[in-house]
């Protein structure tokens, strides 16, 4: 009985150790050649939280990374992945982000890829709803948090020490980090400057880091996340004025007669049942004050130090819906002015679309751009990419 019990355990241990000892260079040979291309629109959380695929993408000049959050999954003929498929400009959009991917998540990701960001053009879409008064919360942070990128941060000697410490302090507020004893102890030693404690925990931490790297590699080999694009020939070779007109027509067809100019199916399912309840319910809300501004600044500092060349796109909210909920106009316009000033003061390029709050068919729902919104973003991306 004992032999039968211990035999499988010993075999499992040997296999596990063998898997960890396989060199990453060997594993990279097993990754399908079209993996990078397929992952460009896959919106795969495993890719966001890993390192390998993003490193490969950033080294490839044919990809233009677009960072953001849940708006990236709102596909229609004018979505950048579809639009630039039909109107190639020398690059392929590479989408990075999902719901809850806010400034801290992106800051950790950028820190882990500082070497590949120098001189790299990228697009970053800023969402107003990140800037609620409590900032990022556990519900949004935890599913997007990467222990691999957190460990990379601990050993990152290139990031400005003061920025590094502030970023570590900030992410240590979250249970996803605090519940990981190895990372917590490593961060505590880093913050206190206790090199002896840092060195003591490092052998365990580096083994953990190696395991997560292997997990990233094996996941990259085995994952099959892929999105089948449905680009429309109708967007090919049109002027921006023609595209905006066509996008408005498609938006009108999708929206029907609802008062917020959003997708009718979404309206019937999500908004109509709560219209009475939500009327005036957010009269005390504002995006003017939030911890997110400091988190956003940490991300800007990392991009500056890395020498990246980002275009920031600031988008509005659906003004008609926000008025219905009583959300004060001042609480939105103050945010628009504040975030735009913050971006410009840091020397980065800005595409300010915040004046489109009340544009019909600019949104798919109450916050996510679509139809006309994507047309304006496509135009900004194309102009930015062609700049010398």
């Amino acid at each position: 009985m004992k032999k039968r019990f211990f035999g499988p355990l010993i075999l499992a241990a040997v296999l596990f150790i063998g898997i960890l000892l396989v060199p990453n260079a060997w594993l990279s040979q097993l990754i399908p050649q079209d993996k990078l291309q397929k992952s460009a629109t896959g919106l795969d959380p495993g890719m966001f939280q890993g390192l390998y695929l993003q490193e490969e993408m950033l080294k490839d000049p044919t990809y233009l990374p677009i960072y953001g959050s849940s708006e990236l999954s709102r596909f229609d003929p004018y979505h950048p992945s579809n639009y630039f498929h039909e109107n190639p400009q020398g690059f392929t959009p590479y989408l990075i982000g999902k719901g809850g991917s806010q400034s801290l998540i992106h800051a950790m990701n950028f820190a882990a890829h500082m070497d590949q960001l120098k001189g790299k053009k990228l697009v970053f879409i800023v969402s107003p709803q990140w800037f609620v008064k409590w900032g990022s919360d556990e519900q949004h942070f935890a599913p997007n948090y990467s222990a691999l990128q957190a460990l990379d941060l601990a050993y990152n000697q290139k990031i400005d020490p003061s920025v590094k410490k502030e970023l570590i302090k900030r992410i240590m507020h979250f249970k996803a980090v605090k519940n990981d004893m190895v990372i917590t102890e490593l961060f505590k030693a880093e913050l206190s400057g206790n090199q002896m404690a840092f060195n003591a925990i490092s052998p365990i931490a580096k083994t953990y880091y190696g395991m997560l790297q292997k997990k990233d590699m094996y996941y990259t080999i085995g994952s099959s996340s892929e999105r089948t694009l449905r680009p429309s020939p109708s967007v090919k070779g049109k002027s921006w004025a023609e595209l905006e007109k066509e996008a408005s027509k498609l938006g009108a067809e999708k929206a029907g007669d609802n008062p917020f100019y959003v997708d009718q199916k979404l309206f019937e399912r999500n908004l109509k049942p709560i219209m009475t309840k939500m009327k005036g319910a957010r009269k005390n809300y504002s995006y003017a004050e939030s911890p997110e501004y400091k988190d956003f600044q940490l991300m800007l500092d990392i991009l500056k130090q890395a020498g990246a060349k980002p275009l920031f796109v600031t988008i509005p909210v659906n003004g008609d819906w926000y008025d219905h909920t009583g959300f004060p106009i001042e609480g939105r316009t103050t945010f628009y002015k504040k975030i735009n000033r913050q971006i410009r003061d840091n020397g980065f390029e800005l595409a300010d679309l915040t004046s489109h709050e009340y544009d019909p068919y600019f949104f798919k729902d109450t916050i996510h751009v679509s139809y006309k919104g994507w047309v304006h973003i496509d135009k900004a991306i194309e102009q930015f990419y062609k700049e010398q």
Side-chain angles (χ1 to χ4, degrees):
M1 292 292 290
K2 289 184 178 180
K3 288 182 179 180
R4 289 182 181 177
F5 179 75
F6 285 111
L9 288 179
I10 294 170
L11 178 60
V14 170
L15 289 173
F16 179 71
I17 293 170
I19 288 171
L20 292 180
L21 291 177
V22 177
N24 287 345
W26 292 7
L27 293 175
S28 65
Q29 301 300 313
L30 301 176
I31 296 172
Q33 291 186 351
D34 60 353
K35 186 71 176 187
L36 195 58
Q37 177 187 342
K38 289 182 176 180
S39 67
T41 55
L43 293 170
D44 186 350
M47 179 271 287
F48 305 153
Q49 295 166 314
L51 295 176
Y52 179 80
L53 274 177
Q54 288 192 66
E55 286 176 358
E56 294 301 302
M57 177 272 296
L58 290 168
K59 288 188 293 186
D60 191 331
T62 64
Y63 288 101
L64 178 68
I66 302 178
Y67 299 84
S69 52
S70 52
E71 73 284 337
L72 295 178
S73 65
R74 269 56 183 183
F75 284 83
D76 63 35
Y78 308 96
H79 185 288
S81 295
N82 281 322
Y83 174 77
F84 289 109
H85 181 278
E86 291 298 300
N87 296 275
Q89 301 296 322
F91 67 87
T92 298
Y94 196 99
L95 311 178
I96 305 170
K98 68 182 187 69
S101 297
Q102 297 179 212
S103 303
L104 289 175
I105 295 298
H106 287 297
M108 292 174 63
N109 192 19
F110 287 139
H113 296 286
M114 288 185 72
D115 288 342
Q116 293 87 38
L117 287 172
K118 185 173 178 60
K120 181 74 176 180
K121 284 190 173 184
L122 60 92
V123 176
F124 192 101
I125 301 175
V126 185
S127 297
Q129 63 271 19
W130 297 354
F131 294 80
V132 291
K133 65 179 180 180
W134 53 85
S136 184
D137 57 21
E138 195 74 36
Q139 179 183 356
H140 293 92
F141 178 87
N144 294 285
Y145 163 72
S146 167
L148 177 57
Q149 292 174 8
L151 284 165
D152 191 274
L153 177 64
Y155 289 105
N156 191 324
Q157 298 299 316
K158 296 176 181 178
I159 188 173
D160 180 275
S162 61
V163 174
K164 179 178 178 178
K165 285 190 175 182
E166 285 304 310
L167 181 53
I168 288 174
K169 285 179 185 176
R170 185 72 179 94
I171 65 175
M172 283 187 71
H173 283 90
F174 295 93
K175 290 180 182 178
V177 180
K178 288 190 288 189
N179 290 342
D180 190 317
M181 187 179 69
V182 176
I183 292 177
T184 297
E185 293 304 315
L186 199 64
F187 279 169
K188 285 180 179 178
E190 173 75 19
L191 292 176
S192 66
N194 189 334
Q195 193 61 45
M196 185 178 296
F198 192 90
N199 291 340
I201 193 69
S202 275
I204 299 173
K206 287 184 176 179
T207 301
Y208 184 20
Y209 183 77
M211 291 172 60
L212 291 174
Q213 277 188 309
K214 283 293 186 297
K215 178 184 176 183
D216 183 29
M217 294 297 292
Y218 283 112
Y219 182 85
T220 302
I221 293 169
S223 64
S224 58
S225 178
E226 181 182 0
R227 182 182 298 273
T228 301
L229 291 178
R230 293 179 175 83
S232 171
S234 67
V235 305
K236 191 175 183 65
K238 301 288 179 64
S239 70
W240 294 114
E242 289 172 327
L243 286 168
E244 189 171 349
K245 184 177 180 180
E246 287 189 3
S248 294
K249 182 179 178 181
L250 176 60
E253 292 172 359
K254 296 287 187 180
D257 60 356
N258 71 76
F260 308 113
Y261 304 102
V262 300
D263 184 277
Q264 187 67 22
K265 291 181 180 178
L266 292 176
F267 170 76
E268 295 287 345
R269 183 175 71 241
N270 299 335
L271 300 185
K272 190 174 181 179
I274 61 170
M275 280 187 66
T276 302
K277 174 185 174 183
M278 291 302 298
K279 187 171 179 61
R282 293 178 175 171
K283 61 184 179 181
N284 296 319
Y285 277 51
S286 175
Y287 293 149
E289 299 295 333
S290 172
E292 192 72 23
Y293 288 102
K294 289 185 178 179
D295 296 343
F296 190 73
Q297 185 60 50
L298 289 172
M299 186 190 71
L300 295 179
D301 290 339
I302 291 169
L303 287 171
K304 277 194 293 185
Q305 189 183 346
K309 294 183 177 180
L311 167 70
F312 284 92
V313 181
T314 51
I315 57 177
V317 296
N318 186 320
D320 293 301
W321 172 256
Y322 269 57
D323 287 348
H324 176 80
T325 67
F327 195 117
I329 292 178
E330 185 180 356
R332 290 127 58 180
T333 56
T334 301
F335 158 73
Y336 300 148
K337 293 174 183 176
K338 193 171 180 178
I339 197 66
N340 288 339
R341 183 172 61 248
Q342 187 175 3
I343 292 166
R344 290 194 179 105
D345 286 351
N346 280 273
F348 291 127
E349 192 164 343
L350 171 68
D352 177 11
L353 303 183
T354 59
S355 63
H356 295 276
E357 263 201 3
Y358 295 101
D359 276 18
Y361 320 120
F362 194 88
F363 304 90
K364 190 176 185 70
D365 49 36
T366 60
I367 54 177
H368 297 110
V369 294
S370 193
Y371 317 125
K372 280 172 63 177
W374 282 132
V375 172
H376 285 274
I377 291 174
D378 292 337
K379 181 179 180 181
I381 290 174
E382 184 174 306
Q383 291 174 343
F384 168 68
Y385 186 80
K386 289 181 176 179
E387 291 174 357
Q388 297 299 317

